[in-house]
Amino acid sequence: MSKVVEFRWHGRGGQGAKTASILLADAAFNTGKYVQGFPEYGPERMGAPIAAFNRISDQEIRVHSNVYEPNFVVVVDETLLDCVDVTAGIKADGAIIVNTPKSPDEIRPKLDGYTGKICTIDATGIAVDCIKRPIPNTPMLAAAVKVSGVMSDDEFISDMEGSLKHKFATKPQVIALNMDAIKRAIGEVKGL
């Protein structure tokens, strides 16, 4: 059986974690992988904690459940570190990617004894600078791809440009802004 790479996304409603998980699935699918990308639904509303999941593999994926032992955990909102156990089930060789201007060493004490790899990126800062809105999902998606290595940077950039052209066909300025955020995020991940 081939290795399945699993992601668990933690965010708040309205921050784009669900959208990022679906975009990751689309991008990986376009490189020939088998994929799953889905949210965990409940009574969430804007600002409430949410989770989303991905599985990416070279072979058919036969598991259809939430991700309980992820390789990578993506934390879109740093405040969730105070109320959600983002380390739950993470594999020893995995990594946690946190949206924060802080360094990995500054985040480690908030992860309750977690000794694995931590990467950080100021995705909200990048989003505000590049997209002019505090929606960090696009930079967090780029960081997740960079840290996980599920596809090359070039494959990811090319695919995202195509996806964004399709999604925002009537708003070409949005495409350029998001592509700037993606390229910047790939280069600004700390802790690699």
Side-chain angles (χ1 to χ4, degrees):
M1 182 171 161
S2 76
K3 181 177 180 182
V4 177
V5 179
E6 296 180 314
F7 293 80
R8 185 174 63 225
W9 296 76
H10 293 281
R12 292 190 182 276
Q15 292 179 322
K18 177 188 121 182
T19 300
S21 75
I22 292 169
L23 287 171
L24 177 58
D26 288 346
F29 178 80
N30 290 335
T31 66
K33 305 282 188 190
Y34 289 88
V35 300
Q36 293 178 351
F38 55 97
E40 178 179 58
Y41 280 115
E44 290 84 6
R45 60 189 182 280
M46 186 74 74
I50 65 105
F53 309 96
N54 288 104
R55 287 188 180 93
I56 301 171
S57 178
D58 291 326
Q59 295 182 348
E60 187 176 347
I61 302 168
R62 296 184 185 271
V63 176
H64 298 283
S65 67
N66 288 351
V67 172
Y68 299 105
E69 296 181 347
N71 301 90
F72 301 96
V73 172
V74 184
V75 183
V76 181
D77 188 319
E78 178 185 359
T79 65
L80 291 171
L81 299 177
D82 298 324
C83 60
V84 175
D85 181 7
V86 300
T87 66
I90 189 167
K91 293 183 178 159
D93 62 347
I96 297 174
I97 308 155
V98 182
N99 173 16
T100 181
K102 298 173 184 166
S103 73
D105 288 338
E106 291 173 293
I107 289 299
R108 189 169 298 282
K110 291 186 164 227
L111 296 176
D112 200 27
Y114 174 72
T115 59
K117 185 174 187 176
I118 300 169
C119 295
T120 61
I121 181 164
D122 185 7
T124 301
I126 292 170
V128 169
D129 287 350
C130 296
I131 305 170
K132 311 303 181 208
R133 297 182 69 199
I135 301 175
N137 65 334
T138 305
M140 287 305 292
L141 173 58
V145 168
K146 182 68 176 182
V147 173
S148 68
V150 293
M151 67 188 76
S152 74
D153 295 350
D154 291 339
E155 285 176 314
F156 175 66
I157 289 168
S158 175
D159 187 78
M160 286 306 299
E161 191 163 24
S163 292
L164 292 171
K165 281 180 182 176
H166 176 73
K167 185 173 181 171
F168 297 110
T170 61
K171 301 177 184 176
Q173 70 281 6
V174 174
I175 299 165
L177 299 175
N178 275 278
M179 290 309 299
D180 287 345
I182 286 168
K183 291 173 185 173
R184 184 169 157 193
I186 286 171
E188 291 188 19
V189 177
K190 299 173 195 158
L192 290 174

